[in-house]
Amino acid sequence: MPKTKTKKNESDYPELMKEWQLPVTETLGSAVRVKGILQEIRSRLPSAVRKSLDMETGALILVMPETSKTAFRAISATVSKALEDIADLPVIPREIEDILTISSSERKRWLEDGRLRSAGTRTVRLQGRARRITFHVFDPRVVEDLLDRGAVDEWRVEDAAAKAENRRRAAYQAKLTRSLRKKKAKPAEQEAGDVPTGLKGWDEFGSDGLLR
């Protein structure tokens, strides 16, 4: 029986590979940040080779066929150049939430009251859609400082104290409102039950039972 030829699997071919370790000063200890860096670097590469660059546990890895040596060297140079200033890449909302371990509502609240400082805004088009969205971005060095000094814990304590104070004031205001309503209702009840006649001796006349 003749042997059938099988197509050699692409993974069986020798490959060219290069890895770039990303220091904590760039990733801020966040896998979400690593993914953001990957997307940023990919956006600077030709579309045909973007998926050749991937991420793996705090590192970027470029893998290409051995037959693409020239392209591999060019892409490697582009990635290395892009990584030179990647530590200054602004932190986007989903990244800061992961880095500081905060919720979206906390991010928005602290951004509105000024505790979380914006470094500007960025507008992007959603993938596969015509609609664009604009969002705030943050300085990575400011985010690193917030992380190092535990600012989030302090803000949460402040928020809890403010919430308790607001509840106390609301309870006091409700109690005061109820008290004022009772004071207004009392004279009205007295007026309805005790109608003055304006006649002299009328009370004595009524007490003698002559009106019964």
Side-chain angles (χ1 to χ4, degrees):
M1 184 176 177
K3 292 182 180 179
T4 56
K5 291 184 179 180
T6 57
K7 185 178 180 181
K8 195 170 184 180
N9 197 327
E10 188 176 325
S11 62
D12 292 334
Y13 287 98
E15 294 176 323
L16 301 169
M17 185 174 72
K18 185 170 182 177
E19 180 178 317
W20 292 265
Q21 285 292 333
L22 301 176
V24 177
T25 52
E26 296 176 357
T27 66
L28 300 176
S30 167
V32 177
R33 174 73 168 167
V34 175
K35 187 175 181 179
I37 291 173
L38 170 65
Q39 292 174 336
E40 176 65 24
I41 303 299
R42 275 181 172 177
S43 70
R44 305 182 190 187
L45 302 178
S47 57
V49 297
R50 284 177 183 172
K51 290 188 178 180
S52 298
L53 184 68
D54 212 337
M55 60 179 278
E56 184 179 292
T57 319
L60 298 184
I61 298 179
L62 177 65
V63 179
M64 297 179 69
E66 193 179 34
T67 53
S68 305
K69 289 182 180 179
T70 302
F72 179 79
R73 284 194 294 268
I75 299 302
S76 296
T78 300
V79 174
S80 297
K81 180 67 176 176
L83 287 173
E84 289 178 1
D85 59 353
I86 207 65
D88 298 324
L89 181 69
V91 177
I92 62 176
R94 66 171 177 266
E95 293 174 359
I96 195 172
E97 290 171 12
D98 185 62
I99 294 166
L100 299 180
T101 318
I102 62 177
S103 65
S104 295
S105 59
E106 286 176 325
R107 171 179 57 81
K108 292 174 183 176
R109 180 168 67 251
W110 296 334
L111 183 61
E112 288 175 0
D113 65 23
R115 282 180 284 183
L116 188 59
R117 298 201 307 271
S118 170
T121 59
R122 183 176 177 183
T123 301
V124 299
R125 180 183 297 170
L126 294 176
Q127 190 173 7
R129 302 181 186 178
R131 188 166 67 92
R132 293 176 177 269
I133 59 169
T134 299
F135 50 84
H136 286 273
V137 295
F138 308 91
D139 186 328
R141 301 287 72 83
V142 171
V143 176
E144 185 178 23
D145 176 64
L146 295 175
L147 183 64
D148 290 344
R149 62 187 176 88
V152 167
D153 293 333
E154 295 177 7
W155 293 349
R156 284 174 176 156
V157 170
E158 292 171 0
D159 287 353
K163 192 173 182 180
E165 177 63 17
N166 289 338
R167 282 199 300 264
R168 187 191 67 77
R169 289 182 179 179
Y172 175 77
Q173 187 61 42
K175 183 178 180 181
L176 183 62
T177 301
R178 288 194 298 269
S179 177
L180 291 173
R181 285 176 181 171
K182 287 180 180 178
K183 285 181 180 179
K184 288 180 180 179
K186 229 173 184 180
E189 291 173 359
Q190 290 175 352
E191 289 174 8
D194 185 17
V195 181
T197 62
L199 299 176
K200 188 176 180 180
W202 181 261
D203 291 338
E204 291 79 7
F205 185 68
S207 65
D208 290 338
L210 301 176
L211 295 178
R212 297 176 185 172

